[in-house]
Amino acid sequence: MDIKTPKPPVPISETLSSYGTSGMITSVVITAGGSGYSADTQAGAGGTGSSATFDLTVSGAAAITGIAVNNVGSDYSYGDILTIADGSSGTVKIN
């Protein structure tokens, strides 16, 4: 009889990011609002994946104040930091 030692449980965040969604973004958190943005759809650059886009809500100072995933992209990892295009220094973290 071959008895194997069980593996420790995987944290739910890693499970959803690595297995449940196949690297597609399900949610993000704004880590820096940046400046020079307009309320439209923009790409995110960086991290381990590609093709993500986001719908932005911006303040009167053109900083990102709200964000919604428009295209989930592929091959992203939990915790990746993406820089939002067409402005300056706006970033989000993948949850």
Side-chain angles (χ1 to χ4, degrees), residues 20-34:
T21 61
S22 300
M24 296 181 295
I25 298 172
T26 56
S27 68
V28 295
V29 173
I30 299 167
T31 53

Side-chain angles (χ1 to χ4, degrees), residues 15-79:
T15 301
L16 293 174
S17 175
S18 301
Y19 308 108
T21 61
S22 300
M24 296 181 295
I25 298 172
T26 56
S27 68
V28 295
V29 173
I30 299 167
T31 53
S35 62
Y37 290 96
S38 56
D40 57 9
T41 301
Q42 294 297 332
T48 58
S50 63
S51 302
T53 59
F54 304 95
D55 294 329
L56 307 181
T57 302
V58 298
S59 68
I64 300 169
T65 57
I67 194 160
V69 178
N70 177 287
N71 180 354
V72 296
S74 62
D75 300 324
Y76 289 98
S77 296
Y78 178 83

